[in-house]
Amino acid sequence: MLARVADPERWRAWSRQVAHAGHCQRPVRVAGRAMAVDAATGVVGAEWTSEGAPDGTLLLACGDRRSSVCPACSETYRRDTWQLVAAGLRGRAPHLPDGADAVPVVVAEHPAALVTLTAPSFGAVHRVTAGEEVCRARVGPPVCKHGLRRWCAARHVPGDRLVGRALCVECYAYEDQVLFNAMVPELWRRTLIYTYRALARVAGERVGMPITVRAVRGLVRLSYVKVMEFQSRGAAHVHAVVRLDGVVGGERSAVVAPPSWADAAALEWAVREAAAKVRVPVPIEGKWAVRWGPQMDVATISDPGRTAAYLAKYATKSAGDTFAGLPVRRFGAREVGRVLRKLDNPHLGLLVLACFRLSRREGAGALRLVENVHSLGYRGHFVTKSRWYSVTRRTLGEVRRAWRVRGRPEDPWVAASGDPGTVLVAAWRYVGSGWASLGDAVLAETLARDHAAARANADLLTPWADPGGSGVGRARSAGQGMRATGDFGDGVCGDG
């Protein structure tokens, strides 16, 4: 550690590598070489080798989405999510290296809605309430069949350890909640199918003649981006932006305006109608179909930037981030005891046990509950989008690389690798993950803190900035904890 800091040349070279890896907390160390080869002639324009690099290795960012695993990489992921969502609402995505827009600006005029879908009630839990309202009013019998109170006169605040826990664990349907979490991806897929059916009814009423679902699919397309979040009771719910595009001549890739009958009111009604009717059968004998809860919100989007920030703040959260002590990776039955002691939350512990118990039931193999016990049975991606909604994360990465090339024109390797007619040929050998020593980890953490502070100051001076077209948005916006329309987090709603 001291030797690295004492030598100015070694320090500058190493700190540049740390910055190149995005100040990753657990970078991947590789060794080898890369060549920039002209695709037409086969001439090597530039070559880079790790032999002269610090420790003879190249540092690569781990790229983990989860903030509890790598804060630096998750910040990049969150900013990319902001750009991805905003580009699908207002067009004018970050410019590609050739100067072409990735998303047409006409999408700003397309009908779009912010949709929040919650889980149904699986039993009464302690919750945060507004104003003078108590947690659970005393209505009906004062106790349940197990002799426990069915009411709670407390006024819980966010962060109260009781929030999200069941009033009676015997009455609470833990297995049903786990099955709901597991079926959320399929439930969302069928919601889109039902939305097309509802749009067909709207089209028939407004046009004055029956229109089939197949005909509607030839006229409009639902484009979306969705983010999954856990409520404090451990139930998954979905925040999504749904946009209505048109289809001309059966060309699905074109992004054009929808027909006049397909306006914002039609989209909102169709989504509500679909979410209220959709059902998905559970492949376990004795269990019924799952559905969305009655508490949902479908609102017109007026501010694309705030909507993008609203979704982006959930993009880096996992169950392990929401619930302290829950591992961020899969764990086995032998580790359950250790995990339950670390959790210190009986409610979540019973959900974990329900995952293992249900996994032994006939027909439960396809649900992969044991593989996803760390996410309380949820088996889908936390952030997904439809194909034509917006730019891809790969595009955003290309934009960042192009920006770095423009910032270092004097570097022959950067200039050669940024040439459109150049092919990169590389041969890398894996060396290890994480820092080579504890001293390197301490130094890297210091550099990461300095970098985060500088970036926060820059964001305060240039709100909603997109510095240099690098594909990064305002850092502060997605962390403000907005309580926008449709935010049913923290056990406020959907908990019976």
Side-chain angles (χ1 to χ4, degrees):
M1 176 178 177
L2 294 178
R4 193 183 297 283
V5 176
D7 188 334
E9 289 296 326
R10 290 180 59 188
W11 170 250
R12 278 194 293 269
W14 186 78
S15 61
R16 279 197 300 267
Q17 277 222 21
V18 174
H20 180 269
H23 298 88
C24 177
Q25 191 171 30
R26 195 170 183 269
V28 178
R29 292 177 282 119
V30 297
R33 63 182 60 222
M35 296 179 292
V37 182
D38 189 292
T41 64
V43 176
V44 177
E47 183 176 0
W48 188 91
T49 177
S50 62
E51 293 179 359
D55 304 325
T57 59
L58 173 67
L59 300 179
L60 302 176
C62 70
D64 203 292
R65 173 193 66 86
R66 297 162 294 186
S67 58
S68 58
V69 176
C70 182
C73 291
S74 69
E75 176 66 12
T76 300
Y77 190 93
R78 183 175 65 81
R79 288 170 172 247
D80 280 357
T81 301
W82 188 94
Q83 288 289 354
L84 188 150
V85 177
L89 288 174
R90 64 186 184 186
R92 289 193 176 276
H95 290 278
L96 298 177
D98 61 2
D101 279 333
V103 182
V105 295
V106 295
V107 299
E109 302 174 2
H110 294 193
L114 174 62
V115 180
T116 299
L117 302 174
T118 65
S121 174
F122 302 104
V125 300
H126 295 278
R127 58 181 182 172
V128 177
T129 54
E132 296 299 318
E133 185 182 357
V134 298
C135 171
R136 292 287 172 185
R138 186 168 179 172
V139 178
V143 298
C144 67
K145 62 182 180 180
H146 303 101
L148 297 178
R149 291 192 313 180
R150 300 177 63 250
W151 54 275
C152 175
R155 294 181 177 86
H156 301 295
V157 297
D160 191 324
R161 63 195 308 267
L162 283 179
V163 172
R165 300 191 184 188
L167 272 68
C168 176
V169 296
E170 296 292 338
C171 294
Y172 200 85
Y174 286 96
E175 291 188 355
D176 291 348
Q177 180 169 319
V178 167
L179 292 175
F180 172 84
N181 289 348
M183 300 304 295
V184 162
E186 177 63 15
L187 194 59
W188 173 257
R189 188 185 73 85
R190 295 202 184 192
T191 301
L192 295 176
I193 295 174
Y194 278 53
T195 303
Y196 278 112
R197 296 177 182 176
L199 286 172
R201 291 196 293 275
V202 174
E205 293 174 0
R206 295 191 174 184
V207 175
M209 58 180 293
I211 297 181
T212 65
V213 177
R214 183 174 183 179
V216 165
R217 283 180 173 268
L219 297 173
V220 297
R221 178 184 64 233
L222 293 171
S223 299
Y224 70 88
V225 58
K226 71 175 179 69
V227 179
M228 200 285 293
E229 183 202 7
F230 281 103
Q231 292 175 303
S232 57
R233 56 177 172 153
H237 70 281
V238 170
H239 304 285
V241 169
V242 182
R243 190 185 72 216
L244 201 55
D245 298 330
V247 177
V248 178
E251 178 57 43
R252 304 295 295 179
S253 61
V255 181
V256 297
S260 58
W261 60 263
D263 56 13
L267 175 62
E268 291 182 27
W269 182 87
V271 172
R272 289 183 182 275
E273 183 77 2
K277 290 186 175 181
V278 66
R279 300 288 188 274
V280 176
V282 178
I284 295 181
E285 185 178 354
K287 296 295 182 180
W288 301 98
V290 299
R291 58 179 177 83
W292 297 116
Q295 293 168 322
M296 68 180 72
D297 190 83
V298 184
T300 302
I301 296 171
S302 58
D303 189 337
R306 287 181 63 85
T307 301
Y310 178 60
L311 266 67
K313 71 176 181 178
Y314 298 121
T316 61
K317 292 183 179 180
S318 61
D321 296 302
T322 305
F323 309 112
L326 187 65
V328 296
R329 296 181 177 85
R330 171 186 173 182
F331 57 92
R334 295 182 178 180
E335 303 172 84
V336 169
R338 175 183 60 81
V339 170
L340 296 184
R341 288 191 296 270
K342 192 174 180 180
L343 266 176
D344 191 27
N345 187 330
H347 180 79
L348 294 178
L350 290 171
L351 289 173
V352 169
L353 294 175
C355 288
F356 285 102
R357 185 166 60 251
L358 284 169
S359 66
R360 296 192 291 268
R361 298 278 294 273
E362 184 178 355
L367 299 181
R368 298 185 289 119
L369 295 175
V370 173
E371 291 86 341
N372 296 284
V373 64
H374 60 288
S375 57
L376 305 180
Y378 179 75
R379 56 196 176 103
H381 294 286
F382 279 71
V383 182
T384 56
K385 77 173 188 69
S386 62
R387 183 174 184 181
W388 306 115
Y389 173 80
S390 182
V391 296
T392 62
R393 295 188 183 277
R394 180 177 181 179
T395 297
L396 295 175
E398 292 174 356
V399 173
R400 275 196 298 275
R401 283 190 290 273
W403 181 70
R404 286 199 296 265
V405 169
R406 291 197 301 270
R408 296 169 59 188
E410 73 286 351
D411 191 325
W413 165 255
V414 172
S417 61
D419 189 339
T422 298
V423 176
L424 297 182
V425 179
W428 302 111
R429 174 177 55 85
Y430 175 76
V431 176
S433 296
W435 298 106
S437 66
L438 179 60
D440 285 355
V442 174
L443 290 174
E445 185 179 357
T446 302
L447 292 174
R449 283 200 303 267
D450 293 343
H451 174 73
R455 186 164 57 181
N457 290 334
D459 290 334
L460 289 173
L461 294 174
T462 56
W464 301 105
D466 182 19
S470 60
V472 292
R474 184 184 181 192
R476 195 165 54 110
S477 62
Q480 289 176 332
M482 295 185 303
R483 302 297 295 178
T485 303
D487 187 357
F488 295 136
D490 301 326
V492 175
C493 299
D495 52 12

